[in-house]
Amino acid sequence: MKLTLTVASASALALTGAALAGQATVDLTGVQSYDSPGEALNHLINVQVGAGSEVVGVSWDNVVGDGLGGPSWGNEMTMGILDDTTAYVALSFFPSEGSATAGQVWGPVSGGSSTSLVDNGINFVSAGGNVNLEFYEAYDDATGAADAAYQSGSVTIYWNEIPAPGALALLGLAGIAGTRRRRG
């Protein structure tokens, strides 16, 4: 399963609902974009969020990409958010940078997604409590060589903790016990 987030302009991250359990920011400076998804040379970054958590949003700030003077287009630079199966979210920071800007510098861009990844049927937490970020090329111009690189910027991952079913049952029982009325 694949969900693609494409952002045409900067937008504020607007998460609603329960308070967030945590967030982690990853510096993109120096991260290179090599080959197609799943290839060995791609940069992988693991973010620890804790077992039983689910990613609910992502934002990015001042992301600048560099086509390294080659044939790569900005809209080919992609960050995938992966889970333990084959599900992932593909995020393009420079969706409008096509062939006219090949090999150039793109950005800076900032933005975010209020799209709940969980609401789209995807849980982005591995059994060990990691979220895996993969940086790759949507179209590989030079197999085995860096097609592009991030000059600067950061990505922030937001998550909520999901209580175990046993904990939810105990909360339910506590609620029932707390609502019992006394007869007088």
Side-chain angles (χ1 to χ4, degrees):
M1 173 191 279
K2 174 181 164 185
L3 171 68
T4 302
L5 299 178
T6 304
V7 177
S9 63
S11 62
L13 178 68
L15 295 173
T16 59
L20 293 172
Q23 67 184 51
T25 301
V26 176
D27 183 5
L28 299 181
T29 305
V31 171
Q32 294 181 324
S33 185
Y34 278 86
D35 295 329
S36 300
E39 296 294 332
L41 290 176
N42 294 339
H43 276 101
L44 294 173
I45 297 175
N46 295 319
V47 178
Q48 290 275 25
V49 299
S53 298
E54 55 192 5
V55 174
V56 295
V58 60
S59 68
W60 49 96
D61 188 44
N62 293 314
V63 176
V64 175
D66 185 347
L68 305 174
S72 188
W73 305 354
N75 62 10
E76 297 171 359
M77 291 183 78
T78 307
M79 180 185 81
I81 305 172
L82 299 94
D83 73 1
D84 281 338
T85 64
T86 58
Y88 67 96
V89 169
L91 188 121
S92 175
F93 299 111
F94 314 104
S96 61
E97 298 296 337
S99 62
T101 63
Q104 296 182 15
V105 174
W106 311 288
V109 296
S110 297
S113 169
S114 59
T115 301
S116 171
L117 307 180
V118 174
D119 288 347
N120 283 287
I122 304 171
N123 181 6
F124 289 96
V125 180
S126 69
N130 296 311
V131 172
N132 303 300
L133 307 178
E134 180 183 14
F135 297 87
Y136 64 90
E137 289 288 303
Y139 180 83
D140 186 15
D141 295 300
T143 301
D147 288 11
Y150 293 92
Q151 288 184 350
S152 64
S154 62
V155 170
T156 302
I157 304 294
Y158 302 89
W159 67 87
N160 283 326
E161 293 176 353
I162 305 302
L168 288 175
L170 288 175
L171 286 173
L173 288 174
I176 291 170
T179 59
R180 195 175 81 192
R181 294 172 48 187
R182 292 184 184 202
R183 294 185 182 196

